[in-house]
Amino acid sequence: MHMRTTRLVGTAPLALSIVLALTACGGSGSSDEGQATEFLPGEVLTLTKTTQDGSTQEDHYLVHGVTADGDLLTDETAKHLTGALVALPLEAAGVPLDGSRLAQLRHFYKQLWKGIAERRNDGSDIAAEIGAYETDVEALYEDYRQSEFASVTDYVAFYEQVGENPYFDSQESVEEELVQFFYQTGWRQGAWLQALQRQQWDWPRFLQLMAQRGDTFGGLLNQYRAGGSSRMDDFVARYVNTPLIKKANFQVKSASGGSDSIFYVINPKWKFWDKNFERSDVIDQYGFSVSRYYASIISPKNKNPEAYDFGSRHGFLCKTLVGVHGRANITRAEVAYSIYIETTGNYVFDHESNSWIRGHWLRKIRIDGHAYTDYSLALGRNVVGEAEIKDLKGVTGNYGITKPIFNIETKMSVPKIFNTKVWKTTHTIDLDAPEICTTLKK
């Protein structure tokens, strides 16, 4: 599917989303490139995560081969299959799954595979596409069961149509915002389509209307919260019958801190630790290359971060030990990222109003990723990180100066090996109580 659905988030402040879908090769050892590792259908694979506080979580998966018709096999025949491998979970929330549950997941996978293949009909590697989803097969299955769709084909079409719209296909966070919209409203996707039909609308036409208005699913959720009605039909009717007002200069990567906030966020979502993104030649005092990608929380009156004077820097180092093993210990790596926050003065001059605005500004919020070389370079060098500023609010601090408090949500994945999202962690940032991970020298 064009859409990569995600496991529902927001149920815990430190959510661990371990998801596994494998390609037939990986990396391990101490060499730069790592040694080829080939997981076999029928073997049990273990994924581990150990956080900085010493807590460890293990998840077990059964590796399957995929036939040309989308069947999942674990017998001797499967060992001769080429291409993507699929790992199905052997437990849910720590409770082992029985054979009937695995059979349901295998059947759902084949229906999912067939639905995509019938819609594409272009020779796409469907198994690789499913392996690229941001969640595991079991979570997709549960999402489908709750969606109120009559068939997996309808389920596939719903998400494919979002990705087929160029406006939404260009938005990196559209899938997560879409999942959050239905999660937060409590509405089901199938019931949503029925509500559209009662207004003589369909899903592609509704998506096109959103595109014309420059709306996102995050914005749609805000409209729901502000609308004063929890009835789906009322919401749909109000949206489709409101005269079109096209927003000019819509920017996905810029967002305010809220209508009542004095803060403005530049680049609230960005990637780090990705070889496809440019790195600086500058090496910081800890020996790490400095990323050129960062966020800023500044005044909407002056949206140029470089216009703010440097005040001080706060640094925090967060570590995670990750590993995967099957027949033997195959590969592991200690990965880490540093959060750097540069503050500025308490006032910023607004030339438009010819006055000074009082607040506590953060001109750069930067995250640098790195791996420790005493473990697997092959695993560590293929980690991709993503950071996002969320839940920003202004709070009155010392001397009556408004300061920002917010969360930094980080996601790390190893797409070359797992081809999917892996870890998700949220850090609450309050500069009056900045004890997140290990505080570096300020």
Side-chain angles (χ1 to χ4, degrees):
M1 291 185 291
H2 284 98
M3 278 292 298
R4 302 181 301 278
T5 56
T6 57
R7 183 184 297 275
L8 297 181
V9 296
T11 56
L14 294 176
L16 172 67
S17 178
I18 296 186
V19 179
L20 200 56
L22 304 176
T23 58
C25 63
S28 66
S30 58
S31 68
D32 284 358
E33 296 300 323
Q35 301 172 357
T37 9
E38 191 169 304
F39 300 104
L40 299 177
E43 81 169 304
V44 175
L45 187 110
T46 302
L47 181 64
T48 63
K49 178 205 175 190
T50 303
T51 57
Q52 188 150 322
D53 63 5
S55 60
T56 299
Q57 179 172 338
E58 276 193 3
D59 290 88
H60 304 91
Y61 300 82
L62 182 61
V63 179
H64 295 70
V66 188
T67 71
D69 296 320
D71 291 299
L72 296 183
L73 304 178
T74 60
D75 57 14
E76 287 296 321
T77 304
K79 295 180 181 179
H80 301 288
L81 297 173
T82 60
L85 297 173
V86 175
L88 297 184
L90 289 176
E91 68 260 323
V95 179
L97 301 176
D98 59 20
S100 63
R101 179 66 167 182
L102 282 175
Q104 292 172 358
L105 294 179
R106 291 179 185 130
H107 178 71
F108 170 73
Y109 180 92
K110 181 170 183 177
Q111 297 302 309
L112 189 67
W113 191 97
K114 288 177 60 179
I116 299 173
E118 291 171 0
R119 190 169 186 88
R120 293 292 181 85
N121 195 28
D122 59 0
S124 300
D125 188 343
I126 305 303
E129 286 214 22
I130 298 176
Y133 292 173
E134 296 180 1
T135 193
D136 57 46
V137 175
E138 185 188 23
L140 285 171
Y141 180 54
E142 287 302 315
D143 187 49
Y144 161 67
R145 289 182 61 190
Q146 298 175 25
S147 67
E148 298 185 7
F149 283 124
S151 68
V152 178
T153 301
D154 293 339
Y155 177 74
V156 169
F158 179 82
Y159 288 108
E160 284 279 290
Q161 287 168 342
V162 177
E164 289 166 0
N165 186 301
Y167 171 77
F168 291 104
D169 188 49
S170 66
Q171 298 177 26
E172 294 180 359
S173 61
V174 60
E175 58 269 19
E176 185 172 350
E177 290 184 4
L178 180 59
V179 170
Q180 278 294 319
F181 175 75
F182 285 104
Y183 176 61
Q184 296 290 340
T185 60
W187 298 336
R188 304 302 184 195
Q189 298 95 318
W192 174 262
L193 296 190
Q194 293 173 13
L196 287 175
Q197 291 171 3
R198 286 190 284 272
Q199 295 294 324
Q200 285 77 52
W201 280 66
D202 60 22
W203 185 224
R205 185 183 171 197
F206 184 87
L207 293 171
Q208 187 57 34
L209 178 62
M210 287 185 64
Q212 290 174 322
R213 290 177 172 170
D215 279 339
T216 65
F217 288 105
L220 209 63
L221 181 59
N222 291 333
Q223 292 181 40
Y224 161 79
R225 289 168 173 165
S229 174
S230 60
R231 293 188 71 252
M232 185 191 308
D233 282 87
D234 292 343
F235 180 86
V236 169
R238 182 169 62 249
Y239 190 89
V240 300
N241 293 317
T242 299
L244 175 63
I245 302 175
K246 187 174 181 179
K247 296 180 180 178
N249 301 320
F250 176 76
Q251 295 181 352
V252 174
K253 290 186 175 293
S254 296
S256 68
S259 59
D260 59 344
S261 175
I262 66 169
F263 298 109
Y264 187 87
V265 185
I266 297 290
N267 198 31
K269 186 174 183 178
W270 73 103
K271 289 187 177 181
F272 65 95
W273 204 350
D274 186 332
K275 63 183 179 182
N276 295 322
F277 282 72
E278 185 181 7
R279 294 302 183 102
S280 169
D281 297 332
V282 177
I283 304 297
D284 68 11
Q285 59 182 314
Y286 304 103
F288 306 128
S289 64
V290 177
S291 172
R292 294 179 179 176
Y293 297 89
Y294 58 87
S296 299
I297 299 178
I298 51 183
S299 170
K301 298 290 188 180
N302 191 335
K303 299 176 183 178
N304 178 15
E306 301 303 321
Y308 294 76
D309 295 330
F310 175 79
S312 61
R313 173 184 290 184
H314 304 261
F316 315 98
L317 180 65
C318 305
K319 294 182 181 180
T320 301
L321 179 66
V322 298
V324 57
H325 61 273
R327 301 173 303 282
N329 287 332
I330 292 178
T331 184
R332 62 175 181 163
E334 186 173 355
V335 299
Y337 56 90
S338 302
I339 301 175
Y340 292 104
I341 299 176
E342 291 184 5
T343 64
T344 184
N346 296 329
Y347 293 87
V348 59
F349 188 76
D350 174 29
H351 292 279
E352 183 176 341
S353 62
N354 197 34
S355 62
W356 290 88
I357 304 170
R358 196 178 193 190
H360 197 71
W361 317 108
L362 305 181
R363 72 172 192 170
K364 287 186 180 181
I365 303 168
R366 199 184 78 235
I367 292 185
D368 298 334
H370 39 88
Y372 289 87
T373 57
D374 51 340
Y375 295 105
S376 168
L377 284 175
L379 180 59
R381 286 186 175 180
N382 285 286
V383 172
V384 173
E386 182 180 276
E388 184 174 5
I389 303 296
K390 305 186 78 171
D391 307 317
L392 171 65
K393 59 182 179 181
V395 177
T396 302
N398 297 333
Y399 309 107
I401 298 174
T402 302
K403 65 177 181 180
I405 294 180
F406 55 97
N407 291 329
I408 292 182
E409 183 179 273
T410 58
K411 297 178 183 178
M412 290 191 291
S413 61
V414 193
K416 184 174 181 180
I417 298 176
F418 303 118
N419 214 22
T420 186
K421 299 285 185 182
V422 183
W423 302 282
K424 178 179 175 181
T425 307
T426 300
H427 302 291
T428 300
I429 308 297
D430 180 350
L431 292 180
D432 289 337
E435 298 303 321
I436 57 171
C437 304
T438 302
T439 303
L440 300 176
K441 182 179 179 181
K442 295 181 181 179

PDB file of all heavy atoms in Angstrom, residues 6 10 59 75 91 143 146 158 231 257-258 291 305 337 372 375 417 437:
ATOM      1  N   THR A   6       0.503   2.754  11.004  1.00  0.00           N
ATOM      2  CA  THR A   6       1.340   2.631  12.178  1.00  0.00           C
ATOM      3  C   THR A   6       0.533   2.096  13.343  1.00  0.00           C
ATOM      4  O   THR A   6      -0.667   2.245  13.411  1.00  0.00           O
ATOM      5  CB  THR A   6       1.907   4.010  12.594  1.00  0.00           C
ATOM      6  OG1 THR A   6       0.805   4.893  12.818  1.00  0.00           O
ATOM      7  CG2 THR A   6       2.771   4.582  11.498  1.00  0.00           C
ATOM      8  N   GLY A  10       0.342   6.944  21.815  1.00  0.00           N
ATOM      9  CA  GLY A  10      -0.241   7.860  22.778  1.00  0.00           C
ATOM     10  C   GLY A  10      -0.800   7.176  24.004  1.00  0.00           C
ATOM     11  O   GLY A  10      -1.329   7.816  24.897  1.00  0.00           O
ATOM     12  N   ASP A  59      11.351  -9.579  22.342  1.00  0.00           N
ATOM     13  CA  ASP A  59      10.208  -9.966  21.533  1.00  0.00           C
ATOM     14  C   ASP A  59      10.651 -11.073  20.593  1.00  0.00           C
ATOM     15  O   ASP A  59      11.748 -11.026  20.024  1.00  0.00           O
ATOM     16  CB  ASP A  59       9.667  -8.770  20.744  1.00  0.00           C
ATOM     17  CG  ASP A  59       9.002  -7.754  21.648  1.00  0.00           C
ATOM     18  OD1 ASP A  59       9.714  -6.872  22.162  1.00  0.00           O
ATOM     19  OD2 ASP A  59       7.787  -7.843  21.831  1.00  0.00           O
ATOM     20  N   ASP A  75       8.412 -24.372   6.236  1.00  0.00           N
ATOM     21  CA  ASP A  75       8.970 -25.713   6.079  1.00  0.00           C
ATOM     22  C   ASP A  75      10.221 -25.693   5.204  1.00  0.00           C
ATOM     23  O   ASP A  75      10.748 -24.634   4.860  1.00  0.00           O
ATOM     24  CB  ASP A  75       7.908 -26.659   5.497  1.00  0.00           C
ATOM     25  CG  ASP A  75       7.355 -26.144   4.163  1.00  0.00           C
ATOM     26  OD1 ASP A  75       7.974 -25.223   3.595  1.00  0.00           O
ATOM     27  OD2 ASP A  75       6.312 -26.658   3.714  1.00  0.00           O
ATOM     28  N   GLU A  91       4.208 -13.694  20.456  1.00  0.00           N
ATOM     29  CA  GLU A  91       3.502 -13.305  21.657  1.00  0.00           C
ATOM     30  C   GLU A  91       2.920 -11.919  21.458  1.00  0.00           C
ATOM     31  O   GLU A  91       3.370 -11.159  20.603  1.00  0.00           O
ATOM     32  CB  GLU A  91       4.402 -13.333  22.899  1.00  0.00           C
ATOM     33  CG  GLU A  91       5.492 -12.277  22.904  1.00  0.00           C
ATOM     34  CD  GLU A  91       6.841 -12.829  22.482  1.00  0.00           C
ATOM     35  OE1 GLU A  91       7.146 -13.971  22.840  1.00  0.00           O
ATOM     36  OE2 GLU A  91       7.575 -12.113  21.791  1.00  0.00           O
ATOM     37  N   ASP A 143      -6.016  -3.651  13.239  1.00  0.00           N
ATOM     38  CA  ASP A 143      -6.560  -2.426  12.664  1.00  0.00           C
ATOM     39  C   ASP A 143      -7.660  -2.765  11.662  1.00  0.00           C
ATOM     40  O   ASP A 143      -8.715  -2.116  11.622  1.00  0.00           O
ATOM     41  CB  ASP A 143      -5.437  -1.633  11.988  1.00  0.00           C
ATOM     42  CG  ASP A 143      -5.897  -0.261  11.510  1.00  0.00           C
ATOM     43  OD1 ASP A 143      -6.529   0.464  12.307  1.00  0.00           O
ATOM     44  OD2 ASP A 143      -5.636   0.080  10.348  1.00  0.00           O
ATOM     45  N   GLN A 146     -11.000  -3.902  13.348  1.00  0.00           N
ATOM     46  CA  GLN A 146     -11.761  -2.818  13.964  1.00  0.00           C
ATOM     47  C   GLN A 146     -12.264  -1.798  12.940  1.00  0.00           C
ATOM     48  O   GLN A 146     -12.996  -0.882  13.288  1.00  0.00           O
ATOM     49  CB  GLN A 146     -10.891  -2.111  15.002  1.00  0.00           C
ATOM     50  CG  GLN A 146     -10.461  -3.003  16.152  1.00  0.00           C
ATOM     51  CD  GLN A 146      -9.511  -2.290  17.100  1.00  0.00           C
ATOM     52  OE1 GLN A 146      -9.501  -1.063  17.194  1.00  0.00           O
ATOM     53  NE2 GLN A 146      -8.693  -3.055  17.805  1.00  0.00           N
ATOM     54  N   PHE A 158      -8.696   1.714   0.844  1.00  0.00           N
ATOM     55  CA  PHE A 158      -8.823   2.917   1.660  1.00  0.00           C
ATOM     56  C   PHE A 158      -7.469   3.603   1.810  1.00  0.00           C
ATOM     57  O   PHE A 158      -7.342   4.828   1.626  1.00  0.00           O
ATOM     58  CB  PHE A 158      -9.391   2.543   3.029  1.00  0.00           C
ATOM     59  CG  PHE A 158      -9.552   3.706   3.968  1.00  0.00           C
ATOM     60  CD1 PHE A 158     -10.662   4.527   3.889  1.00  0.00           C
ATOM     61  CD2 PHE A 158      -8.589   3.971   4.932  1.00  0.00           C
ATOM     62  CE1 PHE A 158     -10.808   5.605   4.756  1.00  0.00           C
ATOM     63  CE2 PHE A 158      -8.741   5.035   5.803  1.00  0.00           C
ATOM     64  CZ  PHE A 158      -9.850   5.851   5.715  1.00  0.00           C
ATOM     65  N   ARG A 231     -20.524  13.626  16.715  1.00  0.00           N
ATOM     66  CA  ARG A 231     -21.215  12.807  15.724  1.00  0.00           C
ATOM     67  C   ARG A 231     -20.490  12.898  14.377  1.00  0.00           C
ATOM     68  O   ARG A 231     -20.240  13.978  13.848  1.00  0.00           O
ATOM     69  CB  ARG A 231     -22.666  13.252  15.566  1.00  0.00           C
ATOM     70  CG  ARG A 231     -23.514  12.994  16.804  1.00  0.00           C
ATOM     71  CD  ARG A 231     -24.986  13.284  16.524  1.00  0.00           C
ATOM     72  NE  ARG A 231     -25.565  12.266  15.642  1.00  0.00           N
ATOM     73  CZ  ARG A 231     -25.887  12.482  14.381  1.00  0.00           C
ATOM     74  NH1 ARG A 231     -25.690  13.671  13.835  1.00  0.00           N
ATOM     75  NH2 ARG A 231     -26.423  11.511  13.649  1.00  0.00           N
ATOM     76  N   GLY A 257       2.835  27.174  17.764  1.00  0.00           N
ATOM     77  CA  GLY A 257       2.657  26.475  19.024  1.00  0.00           C
ATOM     78  C   GLY A 257       1.230  26.545  19.516  1.00  0.00           C
ATOM     79  O   GLY A 257       0.962  26.212  20.661  1.00  0.00           O
ATOM     80  N   GLY A 258       0.303  26.951  18.686  1.00  0.00           N
ATOM     81  CA  GLY A 258      -1.086  27.078  19.117  1.00  0.00           C
ATOM     82  C   GLY A 258      -1.529  28.515  18.996  1.00  0.00           C
ATOM     83  O   GLY A 258      -0.722  29.452  19.034  1.00  0.00           O
ATOM     84  N   SER A 291      25.032  17.939  12.902  1.00  0.00           N
ATOM     85  CA  SER A 291      24.012  17.929  11.861  1.00  0.00           C
ATOM     86  C   SER A 291      23.579  19.357  11.538  1.00  0.00           C
ATOM     87  O   SER A 291      23.540  20.224  12.407  1.00  0.00           O
ATOM     88  CB  SER A 291      22.800  17.120  12.325  1.00  0.00           C
ATOM     89  OG  SER A 291      21.742  17.249  11.411  1.00  0.00           O
ATOM     90  N   PRO A 305      15.907  32.216  12.931  1.00  0.00           N
ATOM     91  CA  PRO A 305      16.656  31.788  14.126  1.00  0.00           C
ATOM     92  C   PRO A 305      18.004  32.483  14.268  1.00  0.00           C
ATOM     93  O   PRO A 305      18.466  32.708  15.391  1.00  0.00           O
ATOM     94  CB  PRO A 305      16.833  30.275  13.896  1.00  0.00           C
ATOM     95  CG  PRO A 305      15.733  29.894  12.968  1.00  0.00           C
ATOM     96  CD  PRO A 305      15.541  31.066  12.070  1.00  0.00           C
ATOM     97  N   TYR A 337      21.956   9.068  20.832  1.00  0.00           N
ATOM     98  CA  TYR A 337      21.794  10.360  20.184  1.00  0.00           C
ATOM     99  C   TYR A 337      21.896  11.444  21.243  1.00  0.00           C
ATOM    100  O   TYR A 337      21.555  11.241  22.406  1.00  0.00           O
ATOM    101  CB  TYR A 337      20.462  10.465  19.431  1.00  0.00           C
ATOM    102  CG  TYR A 337      19.230  10.207  20.252  1.00  0.00           C
ATOM    103  CD1 TYR A 337      18.590  11.242  20.919  1.00  0.00           C
ATOM    104  CD2 TYR A 337      18.704   8.921  20.345  1.00  0.00           C
ATOM    105  CE1 TYR A 337      17.456  11.002  21.665  1.00  0.00           C
ATOM    106  CE2 TYR A 337      17.569   8.671  21.094  1.00  0.00           C
ATOM    107  CZ  TYR A 337      16.948   9.712  21.752  1.00  0.00           C
ATOM    108  OH  TYR A 337      15.827   9.472  22.498  1.00  0.00           O
ATOM    109  N   TYR A 372      28.487   3.342  18.858  1.00  0.00           N
ATOM    110  CA  TYR A 372      29.754   3.005  19.473  1.00  0.00           C
ATOM    111  C   TYR A 372      30.389   1.842  18.726  1.00  0.00           C
ATOM    112  O   TYR A 372      29.756   0.831  18.450  1.00  0.00           O
ATOM    113  CB  TYR A 372      29.563   2.666  20.951  1.00  0.00           C
ATOM    114  CG  TYR A 372      29.227   3.881  21.766  1.00  0.00           C
ATOM    115  CD1 TYR A 372      27.907   4.292  21.908  1.00  0.00           C
ATOM    116  CD2 TYR A 372      30.225   4.647  22.352  1.00  0.00           C
ATOM    117  CE1 TYR A 372      27.581   5.424  22.626  1.00  0.00           C
ATOM    118  CE2 TYR A 372      29.918   5.785  23.070  1.00  0.00           C
ATOM    119  CZ  TYR A 372      28.595   6.169  23.206  1.00  0.00           C
ATOM    120  OH  TYR A 372      28.276   7.293  23.917  1.00  0.00           O
ATOM    121  N   TYR A 375      30.740  -2.389  19.156  1.00  0.00           N
ATOM    122  CA  TYR A 375      29.704  -3.342  18.767  1.00  0.00           C
ATOM    123  C   TYR A 375      29.613  -3.352  17.245  1.00  0.00           C
ATOM    124  O   TYR A 375      30.597  -3.129  16.569  1.00  0.00           O
ATOM    125  CB  TYR A 375      28.368  -2.986  19.415  1.00  0.00           C
ATOM    126  CG  TYR A 375      28.398  -3.110  20.926  1.00  0.00           C
ATOM    127  CD1 TYR A 375      28.441  -1.985  21.741  1.00  0.00           C
ATOM    128  CD2 TYR A 375      28.426  -4.363  21.530  1.00  0.00           C
ATOM    129  CE1 TYR A 375      28.495  -2.108  23.118  1.00  0.00           C
ATOM    130  CE2 TYR A 375      28.479  -4.492  22.906  1.00  0.00           C
ATOM    131  CZ  TYR A 375      28.513  -3.362  23.697  1.00  0.00           C
ATOM    132  OH  TYR A 375      28.564  -3.483  25.052  1.00  0.00           O
ATOM    133  N   ILE A 417      18.088  -3.618   7.701  1.00  0.00           N
ATOM    134  CA  ILE A 417      17.946  -4.949   8.286  1.00  0.00           C
ATOM    135  C   ILE A 417      16.487  -5.269   8.562  1.00  0.00           C
ATOM    136  O   ILE A 417      15.991  -6.334   8.236  1.00  0.00           O
ATOM    137  CB  ILE A 417      18.783  -5.050   9.574  1.00  0.00           C
ATOM    138  CG1 ILE A 417      20.262  -4.846   9.226  1.00  0.00           C
ATOM    139  CG2 ILE A 417      18.573  -6.394  10.253  1.00  0.00           C
ATOM    140  CD1 ILE A 417      21.165  -4.820  10.420  1.00  0.00           C
ATOM    141  N   CYS A 437      17.967  11.757  30.205  1.00  0.00           N
ATOM    142  CA  CYS A 437      19.115  10.918  29.893  1.00  0.00           C
ATOM    143  C   CYS A 437      20.315  11.391  30.717  1.00  0.00           C
ATOM    144  O   CYS A 437      20.177  11.733  31.881  1.00  0.00           O
ATOM    145  CB  CYS A 437      19.399  10.898  28.407  1.00  0.00           C
ATOM    146  SG  CYS A 437      17.975  10.384  27.429  1.00  0.00           S
TER     147      CYS A 437
END
